[in-house]
Amino acid sequence: MRVIVEHIGGARSGQRQEFEDPIVVRFGRHPSNDVQFDAYQDLDASARHAELRREGAGFVLVDVGSSNGTLIGGDRVTHRLLQGGEEVQFGSGGPRVRIGLEGLDVPKTTPAQAGMRADAAPPVAPVPAPPPAGVRTTVFRSAVEAAVRQATRPMRALVLVLCLLALAAGAGLLLYRARGEAREEALRRKMVELMEKQRSADETERANIAKLIEQKNSELRKSSSGGAIGRAARGGIYLVAIKLPSAEEGFCTAFAIQPQVLVTNAHCVAAAEEYETRGGKIFVVRNGDPKSRFSVRAVKKHPSWRPTLREVTPDVGLLRIEGTAPELLTLAAPDELRRLAPGDVLYLYGFPGRLADTRSPEATFVQGVIGRLTRLSGEAAGFEEAKLIQHSAFTSGGTSGSPLLDGEGHVVAVNAGGYVEQGTMQVLDPQSGRAGEVVVSKNLAGYNFGMRIDLVRDLLALVE
């Protein structure tokens, strides 16, 4: 059985794909799909939009929770049996395909025997005419009924027992998933509560809360997995590095969104410019592939960014490379950004300072939750102005410029830094033996922040 997908609308119009005897064909903008739409032009299609599933002798098109719906003949559908030749649109105004089905395996008609002689072979019961191609429910039901009629009583009992076991297993799985989702939701809510409580706590309480936040992060990592998201994003992550006459050193993270354009922080771009004044050469090396290197030929900082620690400014920047990045990350659409809320899980993929090794570039993938959505000044605001995303994912110096990914694997923000507070530390003078205090800066657990990705879109509009 063959499934033929002809692209008749959208960025891939005119292309054709064939799938030989598939069980499922997945449609969407995410790279893991079998039919992948363009991540930047086909924005009406969701990352994981729909699936064509083989059921019995036919195929059923199922919408898997898309944002803009799946349409056939202008009608929005969620579960539709296909006959072959249907035109399907992924979101109103989105990409369109024609789905062809070849070689549907349905029973053939056996004509009834009539006027047989008495000495002929015993008559064969007439076989009903087959249903139209693709109507698998009737065919499947008829086959099951015939098998049940011919079965012995013990066989019927066995079938019944197996069906009951299957139902029980399915119900148990649904219950397990529901309980798991409830546990995750409770963990996320608790983490948000702790991060808010930390704002007004004293120094001793903050230390205890930091331990609790890390404990909850650990529990969350055990209860859910972002493995598929990490695998899909891995090839689009880069270590930003400086090459000097005597050494190489990584200092920030970046990620590819266009074949020649990488995103990072403005303060990373400023550091790169400073290194170049000292005779260094800026380059990037691809995550997991030390031989995949690209020279940086141009850089750009957001015009509103300021090199100061007294306030938070739009800390995003761009790197233009020599060559072509083979894998790209997808920026979250505005409707995805609108759905972000405290407690949502997100993932950070970047190079912690001590692991920023150009000879063995292997980024670290970590998980956290959103604590608050605010203005850059830290004040509460509506969607249009809430461009600072506070999160609890682990960060360190080299993770500046790392992507923050949502549950669909789309980039929602660029990791930029974290809040610190002034504190004191008891020290002992080794010569005099006298104790004293020194003033130190301490990172606040769960108070890291990222720049929402629409700041990157603003910067792209200025350079294109």
Side-chain angles (χ1 to χ4, degrees), residues 69-154:
T70 302
L71 298 91
I72 297 179
D75 296 326
R76 188 162 180 165
V77 300
T78 57
H79 190 280
R80 174 69 65 86
L81 180 68
L82 299 189
Q83 306 291 331
E86 289 91 341
E87 291 187 7
V88 182
Q89 187 170 31
F90 300 86
S92 180
R96 292 180 293 118
V97 303
R98 181 181 292 110
I99 299 178
L101 306 175
E102 292 185 357
L104 288 176
D105 187 16
V106 297
K108 296 183 178 179
T109 304
T110 302
Q113 302 295 324
M116 297 186 68
R117 289 170 32 197
D119 60 347
V124 179
V127 178
V135 183
R136 54 101 184 165
T137 304
T138 303
V139 175
F140 181 78
R141 186 177 299 160
S142 299
V144 170
E145 291 173 353
V148 171
R149 284 195 299 270
Q150 296 173 14
T152 63
R153 181 173 297 175

Side-chain angles (χ1 to χ4, degrees), residues 260-288:
Q260 284 82 41
V261 177
L262 274 59
V263 175
T264 187
N265 287 142
H267 74 258
C268 293
V269 171
E273 292 173 331
E274 175 64 22
Y275 282 131
E276 287 186 324
T277 63
R278 303 177 188 176
K281 298 293 183 182
I282 304 300
F283 69 98
V284 295
V285 55
R286 191 179 178 206
N287 183 29

Side-chain angles (χ1 to χ4, degrees), residues 152-457:
T152 63
R153 181 173 297 175
M155 182 61 72
R156 290 198 298 270
L158 177 60
V159 171
L160 179 60
V161 171
L162 290 176
C163 288
L164 290 173
L165 289 174
L167 288 172
L173 179 60
L174 290 175
L175 181 60
Y176 175 79
R177 287 181 176 174
R179 287 178 175 174
E181 291 174 358
R183 284 195 298 269
E184 286 187 26
E185 178 66 19
L187 280 171
R188 292 196 294 267
R189 289 180 181 275
K190 184 62 177 177
M191 289 183 67
V192 173
E193 180 184 326
L194 288 170
M195 285 189 279
E196 285 298 309
K197 185 177 180 181
Q198 190 182 43
R199 297 173 60 197
S200 58
D202 59 29
E203 186 174 347
T204 302
E205 289 175 322
R206 285 178 176 174
N208 293 330
I209 292 174
K211 292 179 181 178
L212 287 173
I213 290 174
E214 180 52 38
Q215 177 186 337
K216 298 302 178 185
N217 254 334
S218 178
E219 292 178 25
L220 191 62
R221 286 192 292 271
K222 292 177 182 178
S223 66
S224 61
S225 172
I229 294 173
R231 287 189 292 273
R234 185 171 187 267
I237 309 298
Y238 288 81
L239 174 61
V240 185
I242 175 71
K243 184 176 181 62
L244 299 168
S246 58
E248 294 180 349
E249 181 181 351
F251 61 92
C252 274
T253 301
F255 56 95
I257 61 167
Q258 293 180 9
Q260 284 82 41
V261 177
L262 274 59
V263 175
T264 187
N265 287 142
H267 74 258
C268 293
V269 171
E273 292 173 331
E274 175 64 22
Y275 282 131
E276 287 186 324
T277 63
R278 303 177 188 176
K281 298 293 183 182
I282 304 300
F283 69 98
V284 295
V285 55
R286 191 179 178 206
N287 183 29
D289 187 2
K291 295 182 180 179
S292 183
R293 299 182 171 208
F294 302 95
S295 298
V296 174
R297 63 184 179 89
V299 298
K300 181 69 175 181
K301 300 186 293 289
H302 194 289
S304 297
W305 176 77
R306 298 290 181 269
T308 175
L309 296 178
R310 294 183 178 180
E311 60 178 337
V312 179
T313 56
D315 196 358
V316 295
L318 302 175
L319 307 175
R320 188 170 293 276
I321 60 172
E322 297 280 359
T324 301
E327 294 185 42
L328 308 178
L329 300 191
T330 301
L331 304 185
D335 61 320
E336 292 179 77
L337 297 176
R338 285 183 181 275
R339 292 196 296 268
L340 293 177
D344 284 352
V345 172
L346 47 68
Y347 305 91
L348 181 146
Y349 211 164
F351 293 91
R354 294 182 180 180
L355 303 179
D357 187 352
T358 57
R359 298 166 300 177
S360 180
E362 194 62 51
T364 299
F365 186 76
V366 295
Q367 179 177 292
V369 300
I370 294 176
R372 293 199 304 160
L373 303 166
T374 70
R375 293 188 177 94
L376 297 185
S377 61
E379 301 168 344
F383 170 76
E384 297 299 334
E385 297 180 340
K387 296 184 179 180
L388 194 74
I389 298 180
Q390 177 198 324
H391 65 89
S392 66
F394 171 79
T395 64
S396 69
T399 57
S400 291
S402 300
L404 290 166
L405 307 160
D406 65 8
E408 293 192 17
H410 295 167
V411 184
V412 297
V414 186
N415 185 58
Y419 295 107
V420 297
E421 66 169 356
Q422 296 297 320
T424 59
M425 179 181 292
Q426 293 287 334
V427 296
L428 186 68
D429 187 330
Q431 294 183 352
S432 66
R434 294 180 179 177
E437 290 186 347
V438 295
V439 177
V440 296
S441 293
K442 298 180 180 180
N443 291 327
L444 293 178
Y447 268 62
N448 306 312
F449 58 80
M451 302 285 152
R452 207 172 70 188
I453 204 64
D454 37 10
L455 290 171
V456 173
R457 288 196 173 98

